[in-house]
Amino acid sequence: MSDILEHLRKEYQSVPIPEELDLIVNRSIKQALHTRKAKRLKVKGMTVAAAILVFLIAINASTTVANALASIPGVERIIKVLTLQEFKVKDSNYEADIKVPAITNMENKELQLGLNQKYLAESKALYAQFQAEIEELKKQGLNDAHVGIDAGYEVKTDNDTILSIGRYFLQTAASSSTVMQFDTIDKKNQRLITLPMLFKDDQYIKLVSDNILAQMKEQMKNDDGKIYWIAGATDYISKEETFSSIKKDQSFYINEDGKLVIVFNKYEVAPGSMGLPEFIIPTDAIQGDLVSNHYIK
């Protein structure tokens, strides 16, 4: 097991930084064009696709490519997010699956680089934590203990205006915990969208919180299997632990319908059996404080 981990560590440290992505793309396209010219191929419409394929192979080698090809009404929609690298360790007691996403083809290279470096750093920190936990268990002689990490991503929204990427981190030991983080990008203006910038002032915190509380109460009223940690709902949660308000920078994304979706991590507002609760906020509940309806419809 230690040999596998050491090999994984060295492989991880050798991953090229995201700054090199564009260089590889350009080189791949040039290579594809050169090959076509040399062999006098006349296959129409395939040059870009061939270059992308070379690019994906160059980046991923023996790893899994995820979300590399989206719907293709035009060349500009071909690549949005791909798996820069994927690392797996599978043992009877230790298991890790860490996928590192990378954003490509953004005109705002500074934002693209910043996000990609963040994703790589997060994944590297997770792997380091996984490795440290295993070493600690070995020192304590707990050879039967189980440790696992599952980290990856999913594209929640990808349309002409918005790209929302969710990154999940699932850690398992005696119990499991899941954290979900989102980045929502304005594709036309090439900027990162934050929750506060959607609103005129901080009034949105109360408007959104009140709507979520109403949804929680309605769900519990209609479904005995639903429970949230709100005032009066349970006796074993202290007043300080009950949900009353979202954070100013609460995790969110904008869905395909242009609706604001607020997301809570596992155990944040409900028991673990509730997973990661999501609440779609009706636009009319927040309309008065929206800066505009450019993003939220």
Side-chain angles (χ1 to χ4, degrees), residues 8-233:
L8 182 58
R9 181 183 67 79
K10 290 180 179 178
E11 184 181 11
Y12 205 116
Q13 291 178 339
S14 69
V15 174
I17 61 173
E19 190 174 12
E20 297 175 350
L21 289 176
D22 291 329
L23 296 176
I24 297 175
V25 172
N26 292 333
R27 184 168 65 247
S28 299
I29 292 175
K30 289 179 181 179
Q31 289 174 347
L33 291 171
H34 178 74
T35 300
R36 187 188 68 164
K37 183 178 181 180
K39 295 184 178 181
R40 300 182 181 278
L41 296 178
K42 297 181 179 181
V43 183
K44 295 182 179 180
M46 294 300 291
T47 303
V48 174
I52 290 169
L53 179 59
V54 173
F55 166 56
L56 293 175
I57 294 174
I59 288 292
N60 288 283
S62 61
T63 61
T64 302
V65 177
N67 298 312
L69 299 177
S71 55
I72 311 178
V75 173
E76 73 281 358
R77 290 183 55 84
I78 291 178
I79 294 180
K80 301 301 179 192
V81 186
L82 56 83
T83 300
L84 174 66
Q85 186 64 282
E86 179 177 8
F87 303 115
K88 287 187 177 183
V89 171
K90 189 171 180 61
D91 188 82
S92 56
N93 295 332
Y94 312 126
E95 188 169 354
D97 187 354
I98 301 174
K99 300 179 184 70
V100 186
I103 301 174
T104 64
N105 288 353
M106 287 188 65
E107 294 178 11
N108 187 339
K109 299 305 179 184
E110 183 178 358
L111 176 58
Q112 175 178 298
L113 177 60
L115 290 171
N116 288 341
Q117 287 181 329
K118 178 178 72 169
Y119 300 155
L120 188 60
E122 287 172 346
S123 300
K124 197 168 186 178
L126 277 176
Y127 169 71
Q129 179 182 340
F130 172 73
Q131 190 177 38
E133 288 179 357
I134 292 176
E135 293 302 319
E136 183 61 29
L137 289 171
K138 288 180 178 179
K139 288 180 181 179
Q140 297 179 13
L142 301 175
N143 297 323
D144 293 332
H146 293 265
V147 177
I149 290 181
D150 183 17
Y153 64 95
E154 57 180 307
V155 177
K156 304 292 285 190
T157 304
D158 184 7
N159 54 36
D160 291 338
T161 304
I162 295 292
L163 176 65
S164 282
I165 308 166
R167 289 155 5 261
Y168 60 84
F169 311 94
L170 171 61
Q171 296 175 286
T172 57
S175 60
S176 65
S177 63
T178 307
V179 174
M180 193 85 175
Q181 299 176 358
F182 294 91
D183 287 313
T184 296
I185 299 167
D186 177 337
K187 291 164 65 175
K188 291 183 177 179
N189 295 307
Q190 298 282 304
R191 62 177 178 175
L192 194 65
I193 301 171
T194 65
L195 189 60
M197 71 181 286
L198 296 172
F199 299 94
K200 300 174 184 176
D201 50 39
D202 289 349
Q203 185 184 0
Y204 77 89
I205 297 175
K206 185 178 187 318
L207 294 175
V208 172
S209 300
D210 287 349
N211 185 267
I212 289 175
L213 283 167
Q215 289 193 49
M216 288 177 169
K217 291 175 182 177
E218 185 68 18
Q219 289 181 28
M220 290 191 294
K221 178 182 176 181
N222 297 325
D223 187 347
D224 293 336
K226 295 288 184 69
I227 182 168
Y228 294 101
W229 293 333
I230 59 177

